[in-house]
Every structure is written in structure tokens, then in C-alpha cells.
Amino acid sequence: MDFVAEQLARVKALWDRMLDHRFLRDTRDGTIAFDTFATWMRQDYLFVEAAIPFIAALIPKAPPQHRDPHSNVIAALQKELKLFEERAGAAGVDLRGAPPSFTCHAYIQFLLATAYRASYAEAYCVLYAAEKAYHDSWSVVRKGIDPRSPWYPFVENWAGDAFAQYVAHLEGELDKLAQAAGPAERARMAEYFELTTKYEIAFWEMAVTGEGWPGIPDEHA
Ligand code: MP5
């Protein structure tokens, strides 16, 4: 079995838990509280801002044929930030000024640490798992959300055909990287796959609970 299929089967219980998260169900059903969605927007805006240096740090490690695709992703991420800004303006969400939540901060540190310190294949595995998680998560939302919802453009962004093709491309490339990896590296890739899945669940949970920093009242966070 190819690496990605093997990992998706291995983490299936976690993956299903992610797709069944109430953030996604409530966004799909139109019952999500405005403040909950706004919390996700503010935190994900910070995440996407950090995804740019994450991808940029992969470029020097990348095989030459991956450099163009990564550069294109950086351009797509800049566009994605504009989508957040446009939606925030349209819906009346104040995007800026919120400090990163504990979960968002940890996930960003994990992304950057893998880009700088892990092997290319390990970091690529994190990239794939995060993008696949968003594609699958927003595909759940697509199955029921009112297209007139102010949040619909996010569905189009991650559940649409262009993003599906990008995720399929990442999958093929990750399978090739895993095939070339030795057993120790492959085991670390599997560990990163699972950790990324757990961070994705934690991120939805953070949006719903409005969690800041454990043990610290919001005014000091
Ligand atoms: C993505 C994201 C998708 N925006 N936020 C989280 C928490 N996970 C995955 O990444 P991208 O770079 O926005 O497509």
C-alpha cells in the first residue's frame, strides 16, 4: 500500500473525529455562532501568515522540480490572506490584534520546526496532512452550507476543484518521497502525519472553546 493510503487508514479514527467536529457541522448547518467563526478567522489568518515562511523554508531543501510548485503556493497563500481580509471586511470581523491562542502558537511552532529541522520528506508530510485535512474538512461543510452564507468563499477555497488537484499532486509526490525514504525516516513521517492530524483537531476545538492560554486570564494573554 502507498504511504498516504497507509497513513490515512492508520489514523482513521482521528481523521473521522476531525471531520465530525462540531465547528464543521455547525458551519455546514448555518448554526455556527458569529463569534466562534470570527475566532477561527483571526487564528487561521495568523496560521496562514506563518504558512508562508514554512513553505519558503522548504524551498532550499526541495528537489528542483518542487521549487516552482512551492513558489506558486506562496502566491496562493498571499491571495488567501486577501480572502480573509475581504470576508472580514464584508462580515464585520476585526481580524487584527488578536494574540495567537496556545494551540495556534504551538501548531505554528511545529510547522516552522519541521521546516527548519526535519528532513524534507518529513516536512512535506506535515504540509500534505494539513492541506488534506483542510480539503476534507471544508468538503464536509460544503455538503449543506447555504451558498449565500458569508462563509461560503472559504468553502470554495478549500473544497473546490483547484485545491483538490493541488492536494492530489501533494499526495503523489509524498508517496514518492516515502518510497525513497528508509525505515527510520518513514517512521518519523508517520509520526508527523499523526501529530498534524491531532493539531488539526485541536485547532477546531480551540475555535469553539475560544481558548486562550492555559492558566492565564485573557487580559494577560
Ligand atoms: C490549513 C489552514 C490549510 N489554513 N489552517 C489550518 C489550521 N490547517 C490547514 O493550509 P493553507 O495553507 O491555508 O491552504
Side-chain angles (χ1 to χ4, degrees):
M1 202 195 281
D2 282 333
F3 178 79
V4 170
E6 184 186 303
Q7 293 313 311
L8 287 170
R10 193 177 66 85
V11 305
K12 186 170 186 315
L14 283 172
W15 204 265
D16 288 348
R17 199 178 175 83
M18 172 182 78
L19 297 185
D20 195 37
H21 198 280
R22 63 194 154 123
F23 182 95
L24 301 174
R25 274 192 273 122
D26 290 355
T27 306
R28 179 195 64 199
D29 299 343
T31 55
I32 191 97
F34 179 85
D35 285 348
T36 302
F37 202 89
T39 297
W40 169 78
M41 276 178 78
R42 281 191 280 271
Q43 295 296 322
D44 212 50
Y45 187 73
L46 295 173
F47 182 91
V48 175
E49 272 184 337
I52 294 172
F54 168 70
I55 301 284
L58 294 184
I59 293 177
K61 299 178 164 193
Q65 72 275 17
H66 279 193
R67 289 187 191 143
D68 262 6
H70 286 319
S71 305
N72 294 338
V73 171
I74 292 177
L77 290 173
Q78 308 275 19
K79 247 178 87 184
E80 206 170 277
L81 289 174
K82 298 259 182 320
L83 168 67
F84 277 81
E85 288 158 16
E86 186 276 324
R87 279 297 86 196
V93 173
D94 185 5
L95 258 195
R96 298 194 183 264
S101 67
F102 185 64
T103 298
C104 180
H105 188 267
Y107 196 178
I108 287 173
Q109 299 312 306
F110 170 68
L111 274 191
L112 296 176
T114 52
Y116 292 128
R117 304 209 42 198
S119 74
Y120 182 69
E122 287 158 25
Y124 202 91
C125 191
V126 171
L127 170 65
Y128 170 76
E131 301 289 39
K132 169 76 172 161
Y134 254 42
H135 178 59
D136 286 7
S137 293
W138 289 97
S139 298
V140 168
V141 178
R142 181 155 79 166
K143 292 196 191 96
I145 190 173
D146 184 339
R148 289 162 305 179
S149 160
W151 315 134
Y152 193 73
F154 292 112
V155 176
E156 283 179 310
N157 185 57
W158 285 296
D161 289 345
F163 201 78
Q165 276 172 31
Y166 164 57
V167 172
H169 164 79
L170 291 176
E171 177 167 337
E173 294 304 302
L174 181 58
D175 278 335
K176 284 191 234 164
L177 289 167
Q179 230 166 27
E185 187 178 28
R186 226 178 126 102
R188 284 194 300 273
M189 289 167 75
E191 193 183 321
Y192 280 130
F193 200 103
E194 184 172 332
L195 265 174
T196 307
T197 309
K198 289 176 176 164
Y199 269 119
E200 287 293 333
I201 296 170
F203 208 92
W204 295 129
E205 188 68 16
M206 168 272 295
V208 166
T209 61
E211 151 232 285
W213 283 71
I216 300 179
D218 279 351
E219 63 268 27
H220 298 301

PDB file of all heavy atoms in Angstrom, residues 31 33 42 54 63 65 71 73 104 108 112 127 131 193 197 210-211:
ATOM      1  N   THR A  31     -25.555  27.121  11.811  1.00  0.00           N
ATOM      2  CA  THR A  31     -25.856  27.410  13.224  1.00  0.00           C
ATOM      3  C   THR A  31     -24.611  27.867  13.994  1.00  0.00           C
ATOM      4  O   THR A  31     -24.667  28.026  15.209  1.00  0.00           O
ATOM      5  CB  THR A  31     -26.448  26.162  13.923  1.00  0.00           C
ATOM      6  OG1 THR A  31     -25.534  25.076  13.746  1.00  0.00           O
ATOM      7  CG2 THR A  31     -27.792  25.769  13.321  1.00  0.00           C
ATOM      8  N   ALA A  33     -22.003  30.093  15.782  1.00  0.00           N
ATOM      9  CA  ALA A  33     -22.084  31.446  16.358  1.00  0.00           C
ATOM     10  C   ALA A  33     -21.096  32.350  15.612  1.00  0.00           C
ATOM     11  O   ALA A  33     -19.985  31.920  15.275  1.00  0.00           O
ATOM     12  CB  ALA A  33     -21.749  31.389  17.841  1.00  0.00           C
ATOM     13  N   ARG A  42      -9.658  34.807  12.857  1.00  0.00           N
ATOM     14  CA  ARG A  42      -8.488  35.536  13.393  1.00  0.00           C
ATOM     15  C   ARG A  42      -7.298  34.598  13.596  1.00  0.00           C
ATOM     16  O   ARG A  42      -6.164  34.937  13.275  1.00  0.00           O
ATOM     17  CB  ARG A  42      -8.843  36.203  14.729  1.00  0.00           C
ATOM     18  CG  ARG A  42      -9.625  37.476  14.561  1.00  0.00           C
ATOM     19  CD  ARG A  42      -9.726  38.230  15.875  1.00  0.00           C
ATOM     20  NE  ARG A  42     -10.760  37.672  16.716  1.00  0.00           N
ATOM     21  CZ  ARG A  42     -12.039  38.058  16.689  1.00  0.00           C
ATOM     22  NH1 ARG A  42     -12.420  39.025  15.889  1.00  0.00           N
ATOM     23  NH2 ARG A  42     -12.915  37.493  17.469  1.00  0.00           N
ATOM     24  N   PHE A  54       6.886  28.939   6.340  1.00  0.00           N
ATOM     25  CA  PHE A  54       7.007  27.471   6.350  1.00  0.00           C
ATOM     26  C   PHE A  54       7.339  26.971   4.948  1.00  0.00           C
ATOM     27  O   PHE A  54       8.317  26.238   4.747  1.00  0.00           O
ATOM     28  CB  PHE A  54       5.704  26.837   6.866  1.00  0.00           C
ATOM     29  CG  PHE A  54       5.594  25.347   6.650  1.00  0.00           C
ATOM     30  CD1 PHE A  54       6.385  24.471   7.372  1.00  0.00           C
ATOM     31  CD2 PHE A  54       4.689  24.826   5.725  1.00  0.00           C
ATOM     32  CE1 PHE A  54       6.290  23.080   7.176  1.00  0.00           C
ATOM     33  CE2 PHE A  54       4.580  23.457   5.526  1.00  0.00           C
ATOM     34  CZ  PHE A  54       5.387  22.581   6.247  1.00  0.00           C
ATOM     35  N   PRO A  63      13.739  19.248  -3.971  1.00  0.00           N
ATOM     36  CA  PRO A  63      14.312  18.882  -5.272  1.00  0.00           C
ATOM     37  C   PRO A  63      13.888  19.949  -6.295  1.00  0.00           C
ATOM     38  O   PRO A  63      12.838  20.572  -6.116  1.00  0.00           O
ATOM     39  CB  PRO A  63      13.667  17.523  -5.574  1.00  0.00           C
ATOM     40  CG  PRO A  63      12.481  17.417  -4.685  1.00  0.00           C
ATOM     41  CD  PRO A  63      12.732  18.303  -3.500  1.00  0.00           C
ATOM     42  N   GLN A  65      12.464  20.151  -9.048  1.00  0.00           N
ATOM     43  CA  GLN A  65      11.117  20.149  -9.653  1.00  0.00           C
ATOM     44  C   GLN A  65      10.021  20.570  -8.677  1.00  0.00           C
ATOM     45  O   GLN A  65       8.886  20.793  -9.082  1.00  0.00           O
ATOM     46  CB  GLN A  65      10.818  18.782 -10.308  1.00  0.00           C
ATOM     47  CG  GLN A  65      10.561  17.637  -9.348  1.00  0.00           C
ATOM     48  CD  GLN A  65      11.848  16.951  -8.871  1.00  0.00           C
ATOM     49  OE1 GLN A  65      12.948  17.484  -8.995  1.00  0.00           O
ATOM     50  NE2 GLN A  65      11.716  15.760  -8.298  1.00  0.00           N
ATOM     51  N   SER A  71       6.737  27.884  -4.949  1.00  0.00           N
ATOM     52  CA  SER A  71       6.628  29.335  -5.185  1.00  0.00           C
ATOM     53  C   SER A  71       5.186  29.700  -5.515  1.00  0.00           C
ATOM     54  O   SER A  71       4.682  30.736  -5.071  1.00  0.00           O
ATOM     55  CB  SER A  71       7.527  29.774  -6.338  1.00  0.00           C
ATOM     56  OG  SER A  71       8.836  29.354  -6.078  1.00  0.00           O
ATOM     57  N   VAL A  73       2.582  28.175  -4.466  1.00  0.00           N
ATOM     58  CA  VAL A  73       1.786  28.075  -3.231  1.00  0.00           C
ATOM     59  C   VAL A  73       1.943  29.361  -2.418  1.00  0.00           C
ATOM     60  O   VAL A  73       0.967  29.866  -1.843  1.00  0.00           O
ATOM     61  CB  VAL A  73       2.192  26.831  -2.403  1.00  0.00           C
ATOM     62  CG1 VAL A  73       1.529  26.849  -1.031  1.00  0.00           C
ATOM     63  CG2 VAL A  73       1.809  25.556  -3.143  1.00  0.00           C
ATOM     64  N   CYS A 104      -2.844  27.656  18.442  1.00  0.00           N
ATOM     65  CA  CYS A 104      -2.362  28.232  17.180  1.00  0.00           C
ATOM     66  C   CYS A 104      -0.850  28.449  17.262  1.00  0.00           C
ATOM     67  O   CYS A 104      -0.110  28.128  16.329  1.00  0.00           O
ATOM     68  CB  CYS A 104      -3.095  29.551  16.917  1.00  0.00           C
ATOM     69  SG  CYS A 104      -2.596  30.369  15.406  1.00  0.00           S
ATOM     70  N   ILE A 108       1.919  26.567  14.901  1.00  0.00           N
ATOM     71  CA  ILE A 108       2.851  27.342  14.068  1.00  0.00           C
ATOM     72  C   ILE A 108       4.309  26.962  14.387  1.00  0.00           C
ATOM     73  O   ILE A 108       5.134  26.775  13.482  1.00  0.00           O
ATOM     74  CB  ILE A 108       2.615  28.863  14.272  1.00  0.00           C
ATOM     75  CG1 ILE A 108       1.310  29.305  13.585  1.00  0.00           C
ATOM     76  CG2 ILE A 108       3.790  29.684  13.734  1.00  0.00           C
ATOM     77  CD1 ILE A 108       0.898  30.745  13.879  1.00  0.00           C
ATOM     78  N   LEU A 112       7.062  25.404  11.741  1.00  0.00           N
ATOM     79  CA  LEU A 112       8.369  26.001  11.455  1.00  0.00           C
ATOM     80  C   LEU A 112       9.500  25.078  11.889  1.00  0.00           C
ATOM     81  O   LEU A 112      10.508  24.955  11.192  1.00  0.00           O
ATOM     82  CB  LEU A 112       8.480  27.378  12.120  1.00  0.00           C
ATOM     83  CG  LEU A 112       7.474  28.410  11.575  1.00  0.00           C
ATOM     84  CD1 LEU A 112       7.571  29.716  12.351  1.00  0.00           C
ATOM     85  CD2 LEU A 112       7.684  28.677  10.081  1.00  0.00           C
ATOM     86  N   LEU A 127       3.046  19.206   5.522  1.00  0.00           N
ATOM     87  CA  LEU A 127       2.342  20.033   4.534  1.00  0.00           C
ATOM     88  C   LEU A 127       1.155  19.266   3.960  1.00  0.00           C
ATOM     89  O   LEU A 127       0.022  19.764   3.937  1.00  0.00           O
ATOM     90  CB  LEU A 127       3.315  20.430   3.408  1.00  0.00           C
ATOM     91  CG  LEU A 127       2.687  21.100   2.186  1.00  0.00           C
ATOM     92  CD1 LEU A 127       2.093  22.455   2.551  1.00  0.00           C
ATOM     93  CD2 LEU A 127       3.728  21.283   1.054  1.00  0.00           C
ATOM     94  N   GLU A 131      -2.902  20.205   4.464  1.00  0.00           N
ATOM     95  CA  GLU A 131      -3.719  20.601   3.299  1.00  0.00           C
ATOM     96  C   GLU A 131      -4.858  19.605   3.064  1.00  0.00           C
ATOM     97  O   GLU A 131      -5.993  19.991   2.784  1.00  0.00           O
ATOM     98  CB  GLU A 131      -2.841  20.686   2.039  1.00  0.00           C
ATOM     99  CG  GLU A 131      -1.682  21.664   2.124  1.00  0.00           C
ATOM    100  CD  GLU A 131      -2.101  23.136   2.116  1.00  0.00           C
ATOM    101  OE1 GLU A 131      -3.118  23.489   2.730  1.00  0.00           O
ATOM    102  OE2 GLU A 131      -1.362  23.933   1.498  1.00  0.00           O
ATOM    103  N   PHE A 193       2.631  12.728  10.551  1.00  0.00           N
ATOM    104  CA  PHE A 193       1.284  12.662   9.961  1.00  0.00           C
ATOM    105  C   PHE A 193       0.239  12.672  11.078  1.00  0.00           C
ATOM    106  O   PHE A 193      -0.737  13.418  11.043  1.00  0.00           O
ATOM    107  CB  PHE A 193       1.154  11.384   9.121  1.00  0.00           C
ATOM    108  CG  PHE A 193       0.043  11.425   8.124  1.00  0.00           C
ATOM    109  CD1 PHE A 193       0.316  11.634   6.780  1.00  0.00           C
ATOM    110  CD2 PHE A 193      -1.280  11.275   8.517  1.00  0.00           C
ATOM    111  CE1 PHE A 193      -0.716  11.680   5.840  1.00  0.00           C
ATOM    112  CE2 PHE A 193      -2.311  11.316   7.589  1.00  0.00           C
ATOM    113  CZ  PHE A 193      -2.022  11.511   6.254  1.00  0.00           C
ATOM    114  N   THR A 197      -2.489  15.647  12.311  1.00  0.00           N
ATOM    115  CA  THR A 197      -3.926  15.364  12.430  1.00  0.00           C
ATOM    116  C   THR A 197      -4.436  15.820  13.803  1.00  0.00           C
ATOM    117  O   THR A 197      -5.503  16.434  13.913  1.00  0.00           O
ATOM    118  CB  THR A 197      -4.185  13.850  12.243  1.00  0.00           C
ATOM    119  OG1 THR A 197      -3.534  13.423  11.043  1.00  0.00           O
ATOM    120  CG2 THR A 197      -5.654  13.535  12.175  1.00  0.00           C
ATOM    121  N   GLY A 210     -12.896  28.956  22.327  1.00  0.00           N
ATOM    122  CA  GLY A 210     -12.369  30.314  22.491  1.00  0.00           C
ATOM    123  C   GLY A 210     -11.162  30.338  23.414  1.00  0.00           C
ATOM    124  O   GLY A 210     -10.819  31.377  23.974  1.00  0.00           O
ATOM    125  N   GLU A 211     -10.517  29.190  23.539  1.00  0.00           N
ATOM    126  CA  GLU A 211      -9.357  29.022  24.441  1.00  0.00           C
ATOM    127  C   GLU A 211      -8.250  30.047  24.145  1.00  0.00           C
ATOM    128  O   GLU A 211      -7.958  30.335  23.008  1.00  0.00           O
ATOM    129  CB  GLU A 211      -8.805  27.600  24.238  1.00  0.00           C
ATOM    130  CG  GLU A 211      -7.324  27.428  24.494  1.00  0.00           C
ATOM    131  CD  GLU A 211      -6.586  26.752  23.351  1.00  0.00           C
ATOM    132  OE1 GLU A 211      -6.721  25.537  23.195  1.00  0.00           O
ATOM    133  OE2 GLU A 211      -5.871  27.461  22.620  1.00  0.00           O
TER     134      GLU A 211
END
